[in-house]
Amino acid sequence: MSSYLPSSDRVTTVRLAKMKARKERIVCLTAYDFPTAQILDKCGVDLVLVGDSAANVVYGQETTLAIGMEEMLYHTRAAAAGVKRALVVADMPFLSYQTSVADAIANAGRFLKAGAAAVKLEGAGPMRETTKRLVELGIPVMGHLGLVPQSVHRLGGYRLQARKPDEQEKLLADARALEEAGCFSVVLEKIPAELAARVTAALAIPTIGIGAGSGCDGQVLVLHDMLGMFEGPGYKFVKRYAELGAAITKAVNEYSSDVRQGKFPGEEHSFHGD
Ligand code: KIV
């Protein structure tokens, strides 16, 4: 008999805090649809991030600025449907939370109704107040510091962040402020490894690194990058664990050749009425 009660195996924000205390590394990957989210969940990935990187790897855009609430809700609903154990975090898209605390609450609520268990916001400053309000209302928030892609035009590209001592002190202060505001975790993107390790040691909440070295409590990668879906060298901080782009190309070429030569469908794929 099935039950409506959540499985006791479910990853929660409380469990993530315990993982940090026990020095257990946290595994996070992005997913944007049902089948891949289901595979990640069955593999035991702890956090499934429905990233606004969907703008890049699903919609082919150069920045994450173009993706909006409606697309992110479709992806969140689809990915969450495939997840039984992991904590699903929905990335709040550009201008869905920066405009006002009221907008942030309304939009974060839509993500939770779509199946996410938490939302992610980029930056500190005014996001401290927004985070506080969301958390007060029962909406868990993941922070994101360092290279914050929604600010790509202000940052002047996707460069390494917080290189100078004053920038490093500011990032550490921002991380502390986000923890104080109630974030359950913070993503550290493309910052020096030494700084990420310092931030990780200073916070009680887990840090999740991407291009931030090995000293974080967990790691995240964009799934399409680590599966080798695209040609070219890619980012230095990405390790390619598969070459799916090449595998798909090979399969499609074989299929095309079979169709053109009349080899597919075969007798075994055909129906006969009698
Ligand atoms: O959108 C995304 O996938 C992200 C991760 C790279 C952290 O924000």
Side-chain angles (χ1 to χ4, degrees):
M1 202 165 52
S2 68
S3 162
Y4 65 87
L5 294 175
S7 143
S8 56
D9 195 30
R10 192 107 212 181
V11 178
T12 62
T13 55
V14 174
R15 181 158 167 180
L16 292 171
K18 285 186 186 153
M19 286 177 78
K20 171 160 182 148
R22 290 199 289 253
K23 298 195 185 325
E24 283 171 38
R25 302 262 178 155
I26 298 164
V27 180
C28 179
L29 279 171
T30 65
Y32 317 97
D33 59 44
F34 171 76
T36 45
Q38 191 174 50
I39 292 170
L40 303 190
D41 195 50
K42 286 188 175 165
C43 288
V45 165
D46 303 302
L47 279 166
V48 168
L49 171 65
V50 186
D52 63 352
S53 52
N56 312 120
V57 299
V58 178
Y59 294 97
Q61 303 297 304
E62 264 183 41
T63 74
T64 56
L65 303 180
I67 201 161
M69 277 300 295
E70 298 314 315
E71 295 101 312
M72 287 302 294
L73 283 168
Y74 291 137
H75 292 294
T76 301
R77 210 170 280 122
V83 173
K84 288 193 164 65
R85 176 186 169 272
L87 186 98
V88 177
V89 182
D91 223 351
M92 295 197 67
F94 182 54
L95 294 191
S96 70
Y97 59 100
Q98 295 95 336
T99 43
S100 69
V101 174
D103 285 351
I105 293 169
N107 287 323
R110 294 181 77 196
F111 281 119
L112 263 64
K113 284 173 189 275
V119 294
K120 177 165 80 58
L121 317 181
E122 293 187 6
M127 290 316 126
R128 285 178 299 179
E129 188 51 32
T130 308
T131 298
K132 229 173 139 201
R133 285 293 292 134
L134 290 173
V135 173
E136 274 167 8
L137 294 171
I139 301 175
V141 177
M142 174 179 250
H144 186 158
L145 295 174
L147 175 57
V148 278
Q150 290 175 14
S151 300
V152 59
H153 296 307
R154 176 174 58 80
L155 299 176
Y158 295 103
R159 289 184 302 224
L160 182 69
Q161 298 298 304
R163 305 172 90 123
K164 299 186 188 141
D166 59 323
E167 295 166 342
Q168 303 203 344
E169 293 314 310
K170 178 168 183 327
L171 192 140
L172 180 58
D174 283 347
R176 286 196 165 115
L178 288 181
E179 175 172 56
E180 174 85 21
C183 279
F184 71 90
S185 171
V186 61
V187 168
L188 300 175
E189 179 162 353
K190 213 165 178 188
I191 61 171
E194 302 73 24
L195 173 62
R198 224 180 121 203
V199 173
T200 302
L203 300 188
I205 57 171
T207 59
I208 308 292
I210 172 162
S214 63
C216 295
D217 299 301
Q219 295 292 328
V220 58
L221 283 176
V222 170
L223 189 71
H224 293 53
D225 291 338
M226 61 87 82
L227 292 181
M229 288 287 285
F230 300 105
E231 282 173 16
Y235 296 110
K236 173 182 160 72
F237 58 82
V238 175
K239 178 170 172 185
R240 286 165 81 122
Y241 287 85
E243 291 299 335
L244 286 202
I248 293 171
T249 303
K250 183 169 174 287
V252 172
N253 283 338
E254 276 177 28
Y255 166 75
S256 304
S257 160
D258 281 359
V259 169
R260 289 187 183 115
Q261 292 176 44
K263 289 187 183 163
F264 177 83
E267 203 39 48
E268 68 277 30
H269 309 114
S270 303
F271 300 100
H272 299 283
D274 49 7

